[in-house]
Amino acid sequence: MNKILILDDEKKIRELIRLNLELAGYECFEAEDGDEAIEKLEKIKPNLVLLDIMLPGKDGYEMSEVFLKKGIPIIFLTAKDSTLDKVKGLRLGADDYITKPFEAIELLARIEAVLRRNNIANDTFSYHDIEIDFSKRIVKKKNEILDLTMQEFQLLEVLVKNKNLALSREKLLENAWGYDYLGDTRTVDIHIQRLRKKLNWEDTIATVYKYGYRLEIN
Amino acid sequence: MKLSLKIFLSICISAVVLSLLVLGITLDKNYKINIQNENERSIEEFHIIKSNMKTNMLENTNILPEEIIKIYNNYYSNNGMYFTYLNNNQIIYSSLPELNEYITQDLLENEKDTYISKVVKLEDKHYMLISSSLNEENQKLIYIREITEIYKIQEEMKQYGYMIITISIVVIAILSYAISKSLTIPLDNIKKGTEKIAEGDYEVKLKENRSEFGKLAKAFNKMSNDINIRNKELMDLIENKQMFIDNLSHEMNTPLTTIQGYAEFLERANCSEEDKIKYLQYIQEESKRIRDIYKKLLLLSYKREKDLELKNEKFDEILEKAERNVNMRLKEKDINLIVDNDINILKCDKTLVQIAISNLIINAIHVSQEGSEIFVNCYNTKKGSKIIEVIDYGVGISKENIEKILEPFYRVDKSRSREQGGAGLGLSICKNIMEMHSGEIKIESEIGKGSKFILIFP
């Protein structure tokens, strides 16, 4: 499981990020200032650090050097939204720069992208008798390869990457088919039905009433 | 053409023309005087010789006049004087036959005892010819005198003049070059300075002195200095504004992130009733924070909205209300508020003054230790102004921070940690409120010992 350290002085925001990341299957640790982060760093050995810029004591720019020296990728998560700040953050060596307020789905996607770039992404996923290898695009059930269409696989990927989060039909269409896809949200329903049948996930892919679907993994 | 070249050329050209003109006129005049003198002298001489000759001729009628003239000629030719004799316009005797062709009618038309002169040039020699009648009307004697010497002197003077002109032109050229440079170098410097200013470098300084250009340079320096100051003021203003916007965006963004994040999470995640209530409370708290900032921003811009109507208010009522506002917070930290009031009536807007006092006390609570004391002293000065002091024994403020602490969103603790309270607008609002009352706010503080905030109503 990938470990992520959240460095932010605002308790509620730390908790919010933690809630979202834990649902997506990350192990989270919190620190409210630079000193606490440095103290925890050795014990945790995080795969990624999410950090704010305006921090008590050492600011985010100073802290970024500490993490980058140890080869830990960082993402700035900050209210400072000027282009200049972004450029400064990225120049310092940050892998990404996300401005507050952010959407959970975007945060997850960016974290995943950074982990993948640093070759520490979890490219496989297993749940009960189902095994998924995202890089090879293979889905196995009881060690037997399932025959999935490209579209079904992409839909499954979006569901897995946002597990335990309800995704609206529009969001699924946008993420699995692409922005320019002009399809009907009915398309989503049809593909979900097929996935449920092929994976035998009748209950695992839950319907959220009048909204969309959620992959429920305990 | 460059100004320096123009000045240089005009001085040089006028010097050449002028000196040539002067030389020409001088030489011409000199020549005329010389010729005149020579002429007069020759006529005089001629007259004496002629009289002598005439007497001789009358005494020796047996000798032909030409013979007598020949004798004279032989005698005078050693002194550069020659004679030619004509009778009835026919040359009878000529001592210098090469000059015969110059003896023309205009020389022979003279009356008795008058003289006609003429200067002729033959090869490189000059001669003066003077005619006069002898005893009879048709007997003419031409007196010839070589005057090459005059022309030689004239020529020498010309050469000499040219030499002097050449030397003085060189001197003038050097001088005028120096003058033109001394005129144009300061101009050039001013031009370079102006260009620098145009490029945005307002730190240019030119050399000043007492000349006109020096004064111009002084005025220029004043201008660049003024521009520099204005520019810096403008930059500061822009920076302040930018800082205000940055801070505002940060202050608004943090609660917004929380609200949006939890709302999104509640919408999408499957959470327990207990969690739901907790997150909804978060949302409420953060909404309140935004409302709080919004209210304070309104207060900050209040001044621009309208002029205040100040009324005489009972000050103890204002104090009481302010105390009530902060009571909860005092209890939380177990802080003792000690009020000492000598002011009866204060001419003010009571809501605003109450906000200002509350803000100062809240500020004092934030920096104070649990169980400590805060003093509020209100008194009248001899001059009639009214003073409200809020004194704490908290962490204190460093000198550099005292200057900035009244700026909106400024917090001594850079962390912007909100655990100690608001958005950093409280003191800035106090300052604004005091300005609205034509009063002022002063801060005395020492690190580790505490601070004193003083409101002065005139």
Side-chain angles (χ1 to χ4, degrees), chain A residues 9-10 12-13 15-16 19-20 23 32 54-56 79 100-104 165-167 211 214 216, chain B residues 250 253-254 257-258 260-262 264-265 267-270 278-279 282 285-286 289 415-416 418-419:
Chain A
D9 59 331
E10 192 78 14
K12 285 169 198 158
I13 289 178
E15 200 179 328
L16 174 70
L19 286 168
N20 280 299
L23 277 187
E32 73 170 328
M54 282 164 139
L55 288 170
K100 293 173 185 171
F102 53 86
E103 273 190 75
L165 286 173
L167 296 161
Y211 186 77
R214 173 167 54 219
E216 291 184 340
Chain B
H250 183 264
N253 248 326
T254 309
T257 306
T258 315
Q260 191 185 313
Y262 281 103
E264 192 194 359
F265 189 75
E267 182 194 31
R268 297 170 53 197
N270 217 358
K278 184 175 156 199
Y279 302 150
Y282 282 175
E285 279 167 27
E286 296 304 292
R289 210 163 105 191
S415 74
R416 325 205 127 259
R418 254 150 260 93
E419 270 165 42

Side-chain angles (χ1 to χ4, degrees), chain B residues 329-379:
Chain B
R329 298 179 198 237
L330 286 169
K331 274 183 189 161
E332 270 172 27
K333 272 184 122 174
D334 191 25
I335 291 171
N336 200 8
L337 184 73
I338 299 155
V339 182
D340 179 22
N341 177 24
D342 288 340
I343 302 173
N344 287 324
I345 302 289
L346 183 68
K347 195 177 183 188
C348 65
D349 179 303
K350 65 175 177 187
T351 320
L352 291 179
V353 172
Q354 179 207 312
I355 288 169
I357 296 172
S358 310
N359 276 347
L360 289 185
I361 298 175
I362 289 168
N363 195 54
I365 294 171
H366 288 326
V367 297
S368 290
Q369 295 276 331
E370 253 177 59
S372 62
E373 289 174 331
I374 293 170
F375 288 87
V376 178
N377 297 330
C378 314
Y379 55 90

Side-chain angles (χ1 to χ4, degrees), chain B residues 240-281:
Chain B
N240 277 344
K241 208 151 211 175
Q242 187 56 45
M243 227 160 71
F244 184 88
I245 292 168
D246 281 355
N247 286 327
L248 181 63
S249 103
H250 183 264
E251 290 305 326
M252 299 298 269
N253 248 326
T254 309
L256 266 177
T257 306
T258 315
I259 292 170
Q260 191 185 313
Y262 281 103
E264 192 194 359
F265 189 75
L266 279 171
E267 182 194 31
R268 297 170 53 197
N270 217 358
C271 38
S272 67
E273 272 313 299
E274 202 180 323
D275 282 346
K276 261 185 200 164
I277 289 167
K278 184 175 156 199
Y279 302 150
L280 284 170
Q281 264 171 356

Side-chain angles (χ1 to χ4, degrees), chain B residues 375-412:
Chain B
F375 288 87
V376 178
N377 297 330
C378 314
Y379 55 90
N380 302 291
T381 63
K382 281 172 191 166
K383 284 179 189 166
S385 49
K386 297 180 181 354
I387 311 282
I388 302 163
E389 294 174 348
V390 178
I391 304 159
D392 68 68
Y393 298 101
V395 288
I397 312 155
S398 70
K399 261 189 187 159
E400 50 175 325
N401 281 324
I402 284 183
E403 286 169 26
K404 296 177 188 164
I405 203 162
L406 297 175
E407 287 169 15
F409 298 111
Y410 191 83
R411 276 206 214 86
V412 175

Side-chain angles (χ1 to χ4, degrees), chain B residues 20-244:
Chain B
L20 282 177
L21 211 65
V22 168
L23 181 73
I25 290 168
T26 314
L27 285 178
D28 187 57
K29 189 75 188 163
N30 190 49
Y31 164 76
K32 276 180 183 156
I33 290 168
N34 281 344
I35 292 290
Q36 176 100 26
N37 286 344
E38 196 61 34
N39 193 29
E40 279 167 13
R41 197 162 64 98
S42 303
I43 289 173
E44 216 169 291
E45 217 167 32
F46 186 26
H47 185 73
I48 295 165
I49 295 170
K50 198 180 77 178
S51 314
N52 194 289
M53 216 182 260
K54 268 155 93 175
T55 325
N56 256 328
M57 281 180 185
L58 288 176
E59 281 171 4
N60 305 297
T61 41
N62 54 332
I63 305 172
L64 278 170
E66 51 264 43
E67 290 302 321
I68 294 170
I69 289 166
K70 200 175 175 182
I71 292 162
Y72 274 87
N73 192 58
N74 284 345
Y75 177 76
Y76 284 107
S77 62
N78 292 330
N79 293 330
M81 283 178 259
Y82 309 93
F83 297 97
T84 294
Y85 172 63
L86 291 95
N87 199 343
N88 282 333
N89 289 347
Q90 290 295 309
I91 294 172
I92 309 296
Y93 167 75
S94 176
S95 57
L96 285 170
E98 59 267 38
L99 283 176
N100 283 357
E101 55 173 309
Y102 293 102
I103 301 168
T104 46
Q105 201 55 39
D106 56 328
L107 203 60
L108 303 173
E109 279 180 337
N110 50 345
E111 306 276 303
K112 192 176 177 359
D113 282 336
T114 63
Y115 300 92
I116 292 176
S117 320
K118 178 174 170 181
V119 174
V120 300
K121 188 186 176 211
L122 190 72
E123 282 154 15
D124 55 348
K125 285 181 175 169
H126 286 81
Y127 299 95
M128 180 169 279
L129 277 61
I130 305 171
S131 71
S132 184
S133 311
L134 278 172
N135 293 329
E136 287 165 42
E137 195 64 33
N138 52 0
Q139 285 184 319
K140 302 270 180 187
L141 185 65
I142 311 285
Y143 167 94
I144 300 167
R145 186 184 173 91
E146 196 187 332
I147 52 163
T148 309
E149 198 59 24
I150 290 177
Y151 284 86
K152 251 191 196 158
I153 290 169
Q154 180 80 3
E155 196 54 38
E156 260 171 42
M157 281 186 69
K158 218 187 207 166
Q159 295 303 329
Y160 193 60
Y162 283 149
M163 201 175 71
I164 288 174
I165 285 175
T166 312
I167 291 169
S168 44
I169 292 289
V170 170
V171 172
I172 285 170
I174 291 166
L175 275 179
S176 68
Y177 182 77
I179 289 170
S180 69
K181 272 292 160 202
S182 78
L183 282 177
T184 53
I185 281 174
L187 264 184
D188 209 39
N189 285 341
I190 289 169
K191 179 189 143 244
K192 279 178 192 157
T194 315
E195 279 169 357
K196 272 192 182 165
I197 284 186
E199 283 163 15
D201 174 9
Y202 303 116
E203 308 275 356
V204 210
K205 280 277 163 292
L206 298 180
K207 247 211 246 157
E208 294 176 17
N209 56 44
R210 277 207 216 137
S211 74
E212 283 83 349
F213 284 119
K215 282 175 190 162
L216 184 57
K218 202 173 172 185
F220 180 91
N221 285 345
K222 193 178 175 301
M223 179 191 78
S224 71
N225 193 38
D226 285 356
I227 291 178
N228 202 9
I229 290 168
R230 298 270 154 75
N231 190 48
K232 274 184 183 151
E233 280 173 2
L234 212 63
M235 286 308 200
D236 279 355
L237 205 71
I238 291 169
E239 206 179 304
N240 277 344
K241 208 151 211 175
Q242 187 56 45
M243 227 160 71
F244 184 88

Side-chain angles (χ1 to χ4, degrees), chain B residues 1-6 9:
Chain B
M1 208 195 300
K2 278 177 86 177
L3 183 63
S4 58
L5 190 62
K6 272 185 198 166
L9 282 182

